Amino acid sequence: MAKKIAEPTLPPKERAFLVGVELRNEPSLLSLDDSLTELALLAKTAGLEVVGMTSQKLDAPNPNTFIGPGKVEEIKALVEETLAQVVIFDNELSPRHLRELEERFGENVRILDRTALILDIFAQHASTREGILQVELAQYEYRLPRLTRAWTHLARQTGGGGGRTGAMGGVGLRGPGETQLEVDRREIRKRIASLKSELEKVRAHRSRYRSQRQRSQIPTVALVGYTNAGKSTLLNRLARADVLVADQLFATLDPTTRRVELPGGNWALFTDTVGFIQKLPTQLVAAFRATLEEIAEADLLLHVVDITHPNALQQAQAVHQTLMEIDAGHIPTITVLNKVDQFPDPQAATQTLTGFPGPIVAISALTGQGIPELLSTVSRELFEVYVPVRVKLPYQQGNLISIFHDQGKVTRVEHVRGGVWIEGNLPVRLLARFQPFIKNDSSDTSEEVGETIET
């Protein structure tokens, strides 16, 4: 009789206790309870088991432990009761807060904040070389000012006056009594510089690739939205792509671009990008600059909103704030209300986000409902809608001057020292390329003027 092979058992998940703090002088888009619920989803995505949570409202953070000393003792008791191994704060902790809390809770309990948790999720999901480099840079920049007992060898003293072999294998002299902590900081700074250099090469490569796309005159459409809003499902629907779709936060990190045919025979490149979230760590925004430029350089944005989410409006506002932070707030946008197949009244869904820029289209990326209308709206925005502009283009921007004449409708040209003023109408899809040169007043027309051409 054949023996049944036992299935491998999975290691138990780490048990996490969550702490939310509402600071009255720092308004948040989400309520305290909703923000903690989101933190629980982040913890689940990171592979943790949430065993409890608590919250506190404060006028300002405690200078030592962020939360009040009484709350610290209360959480310590709850951690012991629930056998939690990790305590996660929904706010970003300063190096001092982290150090003090680690001392209070002892070496058997790890202390994390929201930023560290998101960085851990990104590290798990990064798959391409670019994504791995970006996450590693963000982690090092986060850790540098927070080197504490998480680095177990830091208490050792090195040096003492004699020559020692340096951490990188070379021979050198350290100052008397230099700590391993100082050595680690120096090595981390070297690694950060190396990662930034590598990512600049990635950025340059992406820039060359975008220039090639622009020369091909195929417009680009970036899918943006709160994490888990359904962007990857939408790209799969539009382009019959195979982008990973998962019911978890930050399932997609690396941008994926696919060509999509629009009504009328035109084509556009659609790019799926990393999802946004409230309190997005600044380290991630900086580290993912090369990727986020795919958004900032797009001709049109599709802002995908999960209309079934109870905080859909707040999530949309968080996305809008992030777009402003990465200098993409000026790009024409279509608001896409996704998952209307789960909404009792799809027509009423469009009233939820009134006030946001651009047209609003209700769709279901899962069933295909509303996709023809969405593609028609994209085609109209890219190829039929013109906007009046007035730009001053340096003569070095000969490519943009040619594009304005070839694809725009020029009404006036005025040559001045160092460049040319052009007035007319441009297709919406070209607006982002000309944005740095757009002028809204006539204050600069006092320059030395040459030939003026009226058309």
Side-chain angles (χ1 to χ4, degrees):
M1 181 176 177
K3 292 184 179 180
K4 184 178 180 181
I5 299 175
E7 295 182 1
T9 57
L10 295 175
K13 293 182 178 180
E14 276 194 291
R15 299 165 67 84
F17 192 91
L18 311 183
V19 181
V21 177
E22 180 180 299
L23 298 173
R24 294 184 177 92
N25 59 346
E26 294 183 12
S28 174
L29 288 173
L30 298 183
S31 69
L32 182 57
D33 289 342
D34 289 338
S35 190
L36 266 176
T37 299
E38 185 175 88
L39 186 68
L41 287 174
L42 287 168
K44 178 183 176 182
T45 302
L48 301 170
E49 178 187 357
V50 177
V51 295
M53 62 179 67
T54 188
S55 61
Q56 185 176 39
K57 295 183 179 181
L58 297 170
D59 291 326
N62 182 286
N64 294 319
T65 55
F66 195 80
I67 52 177
K71 197 68 174 178
V72 172
E73 295 305 316
E74 175 189 327
I75 295 172
K76 283 183 65 176
L78 290 170
V79 165
E80 292 176 5
E81 179 184 327
T82 58
L83 302 179
Q85 300 148 294
V86 188
V87 175
I88 306 176
F89 283 74
D90 195 29
N91 309 71
E92 183 167 319
L93 300 174
S94 71
R96 179 179 180 180
H97 290 142
L98 190 61
R99 183 172 60 251
E100 294 285 346
L101 287 166
E102 286 178 340
E103 290 181 1
R104 298 291 201 282
F105 281 88
E107 62 182 16
N108 294 324
V109 178
R110 289 194 299 136
I111 306 297
L112 298 178
D113 61 13
R114 183 186 180 92
T115 299
L117 181 62
I118 292 176
L119 289 173
D120 182 67
I121 294 169
F122 272 50
Q124 292 180 36
H125 290 181
S127 57
T128 66
R129 178 173 176 272
E130 177 187 354
I132 292 169
L133 286 172
Q134 291 175 134
V135 172
E136 187 180 353
L137 174 60
Q139 286 181 320
Y140 274 129
E141 290 189 326
Y142 172 80
R143 287 174 182 167
L144 182 59
R146 294 174 172 82
L147 293 185
T148 59
R149 68 177 172 84
W151 298 61
T152 55
H153 61 286
L154 296 183
R156 294 200 307 266
Q157 293 285 327
T158 60
R164 295 286 301 268
T165 301
M168 298 300 289
V171 177
L173 292 176
R174 297 180 186 166
E178 183 180 31
T179 65
Q180 185 65 41
L181 175 60
E182 291 165 335
V183 175
D184 285 336
R185 283 177 175 159
R186 186 168 63 247
E187 297 306 323
I188 285 180
R189 290 190 183 100
K190 288 181 182 178
R191 182 58 181 159
I192 286 174
S194 174
L195 289 167
K196 285 183 175 180
S197 176
E198 288 295 309
L199 284 171
E200 278 302 315
K201 295 176 184 176
V202 172
R203 186 171 179 241
H205 174 75
R206 280 195 178 278
S207 179
R208 290 192 295 270
Y209 181 60
R210 280 195 298 268
S211 296
Q212 292 174 359
R213 289 194 316 218
Q214 290 175 355
R215 283 194 293 272
S216 71
Q217 298 186 7
I218 299 179
T220 58
V221 181
L223 279 64
V224 300
Y226 212 77
T227 181
N228 213 25
K231 301 184 304 301
S232 298
T233 304
L234 177 56
L235 183 62
N236 288 342
R237 168 67 62 177
L238 294 174
R240 300 180 180 88
D242 55 355
V243 181
L244 172 65
V245 174
D247 186 19
Q248 58 180 222
L249 307 183
F250 301 117
T252 303
L253 285 188
D254 300 298
T256 303
T257 301
R258 295 289 185 269
R259 198 166 74 141
V260 175
E261 185 175 10
L262 301 174
N266 292 310
W267 292 84
L269 296 173
F270 284 68
T271 299
D272 184 20
T273 59
V274 62
F276 297 156
I277 198 168
Q278 67 141 356
K279 305 177 186 176
L280 188 67
T282 55
Q283 292 89 351
L284 283 178
V285 175
F288 276 71
R289 182 176 58 155
T291 300
L292 294 175
E293 281 180 352
E294 290 293 310
I295 299 173
E297 297 288 338
D299 300 308
L300 179 69
L301 302 182
L302 296 189
H303 178 184
V304 183
V305 180
D306 177 1
I307 196 59
T308 66
H309 198 283
N311 295 309
L313 182 60
Q314 290 80 2
Q315 290 184 350
Q317 290 171 339
V319 171
H320 179 69
Q321 288 180 1
T322 306
L323 290 174
M324 298 298 290
E325 290 176 12
I326 63 173
D327 297 325
H330 63 280
I331 301 176
T333 302
I334 298 173
T335 301
V336 183
L337 306 184
N338 190 25
K339 307 184 184 181
V340 293
D341 55 305
Q342 303 175 32
F343 206 83
D345 183 2
Q347 294 302 318
T350 60
Q351 304 302 316
T352 306
L353 295 178
T354 55
F356 279 80
I360 298 176
V361 181
I363 69 153
S364 169
L366 186 64
T367 67
Q369 178 183 344
I371 295 298
E373 181 186 354
L374 174 61
L375 288 174
S376 296
T377 304
V378 170
S379 181
R380 184 170 61 252
E381 289 292 308
L382 289 177
F383 296 99
E384 298 176 24
V385 177
Y386 284 74
V387 292
V389 294
R390 178 173 178 272
V391 296
K392 182 187 176 184
L393 298 173
Y395 287 123
Q396 297 92 320
Q397 296 290 335
N399 183 47
L400 289 181
I401 295 173
S402 297
I403 289 175
F404 202 130
H405 283 278
D406 294 342
Q407 301 184 48
K409 300 175 182 178
V410 177
T411 58
R412 188 168 184 265
V413 177
E414 188 175 328
H415 292 272
V416 297
R417 180 184 301 165
V420 56
W421 287 93
I422 304 181
E423 294 183 25
N425 295 280
L426 278 173
V428 164
R429 70 178 186 277
L430 299 178
L431 206 56
R433 299 191 211 176
F434 287 84
Q435 186 65 31
F437 309 102
I438 290 178
K439 306 294 181 181
N440 296 319
D441 55 56
S442 57
S443 58
D444 293 328
T445 56
S446 59
E447 300 164 284
E448 186 177 319
V449 178
E451 180 184 11
T452 300
I453 303 173
E454 303 280 352
T455 60

